[in-house]
Structures are given as structure tokens and as C-alpha cells.
Amino acid sequence: MTAFTPAAIDVALPGSSRHHAIAGVRLHRHRRPAPIVGAGIPRVGTDVATVHAAQWAVSDRQAALLVCLPMQQRLTSAARLALAWRAVTRSPRRTFLDAIIAHVTDGAHSLGELDFARMARGVGLPAPSRQSVRHGPRGRVYLDVSWDDVGLVVEIDGGHHALALNPIDDALRQNERVVAGDRMLRIPVIGLRLAPKEFLGQVRRMYGVLRARRAC
């Protein structure tokens, strides 16, 4: 995995094992260690390692990063990661990682339309027109969230948006909406968990600007 340098090496041990403290190594005891894969130095699979790293992270933000990177770099799959997480019976980050792993493995579908509408109302926005349909040169375009009264569109990007050729399709769709006169804001679905106040504040300010212009 690239784009992350750990501050220490994390080592998981059976609960009954003897150990010695070593500088730069953090020990974690497990009553039931995960299965070992491959030959050489004993190690677990990438999916299990991802789940371990997220639980041992120093912050929720780092935990989210350590879930996203292996998926974005295709070191594991959504199905394997979800299966590894389901095998965890106790976690100090259960609620948070439930949401993050769902976002990464299921994209924007993991954040329901009613969830976003509730978050929008929490910052004083009116109910959006969810899953609006537009027509463009490439056929029908389904928008995640829109406020048709002011021409504001919000696209909630799941982890799959960064994979393969998806950025090209996203850019074409966004450009078509801008050419048609809409204003579009993009929000990574994980961003709604890590920085909801900041992202929703931007939506609220943009809605206010567009409504004021329409009133002139």
C-alpha cells in the first residue's frame, strides 16, 4: 500500500504468547488470531489487515484513510473487506466503521436519501428533490440530490467514483449540468461522516446565494 507511512509496526499475537517490548513495534493481543496467508513471515490477508489498521488507528480520520487506501489501490475487494468486518465481534469504533466500510463497499447507496435530507434540514435547508432526472446528449442523467427551485445539484461520490474510467464519466456529467445552467457541488460520501458541518455549510451558503439571485 502506498500514500501512508505507519509510525510503528503493528504485530498481532495470540493472547497466551510471551513477548518482549521492541522499539517501533506495537503489540496487539487476540484471543483468536486471524488465519495466516502466504509463506515467509506470518501475516494476515489484506482484508483482515485493513480492518485491524482501522481499529488501531490514532483517529477516526486516519481510520477512514486506512479503509479507503487499500480499496482505491485495489489491494482487496469490497466483498472481502465486508466479510472481514462482519467477522469482528467487538470494536471500539463499531458505529463509525460500520458507516465507513459501508460507504467504501457500497458507494453512495449506503447513505440513504432520507439520511441526507435529514442532514440538510439540520442546517436549515429545505427538503431537496432527491434522485432528479435530467436529459442530456448521452441520455438520461440521474442526480443524487437537487434543489430544482434554484438550480443547485449535489452529487455524493462513493468510493467507486475514483476507480477506472469513472472520473471521466463524472466529469462529463458534471460539465453537462454546468453547461445547462445548474450549479453543482460534489461531496465524498465519507466526507459527510468526517466533516459534515463543513460540507453542509457549503451547500447551505450556495443555496442562499442562488435563492437571492433568483429573487432579484
Side-chain angles (χ1 to χ4, degrees), residues 56-93:
W56 300 337
V58 299
S59 65
D60 285 349
R61 187 179 184 87
Q62 186 183 85
L65 173 66
L66 291 171
V67 170
C68 290
L69 287 178
M71 287 291 295
Q72 291 173 347
Q73 296 172 25
R74 299 187 180 184
L75 301 177
T76 188
S77 69
R80 290 198 299 268
L81 180 59
L83 186 63
W85 178 238
R86 284 199 296 270
V88 175
T89 56
R90 295 167 55 184
S91 172
R93 286 195 169 101

Side-chain angles (χ1 to χ4, degrees), residues 83-158:
L83 186 63
W85 178 238
R86 284 199 296 270
V88 175
T89 56
R90 295 167 55 184
S91 172
R93 286 195 169 101
R94 168 63 65 183
T95 301
F96 179 77
L97 288 178
D98 273 345
I100 294 300
I101 291 175
H103 293 335
V104 171
T105 58
D106 195 31
H109 298 294
S110 61
L111 183 74
E113 295 175 359
L114 294 179
D115 291 333
F116 186 85
R118 174 182 51 78
M119 297 171 77
R121 287 196 302 270
V123 296
L125 284 163
S129 307
R130 300 184 295 274
Q131 277 291 326
S132 297
V133 180
R134 300 287 194 276
H135 296 274
R138 307 179 76 190
R140 290 183 178 181
V141 176
Y142 293 89
L143 306 176
D144 290 337
V145 182
S146 70
W147 282 268
D148 295 340
D149 58 323
V150 297
L152 174 60
V153 174
V154 175
E155 286 289 277
I156 303 172
D157 295 338

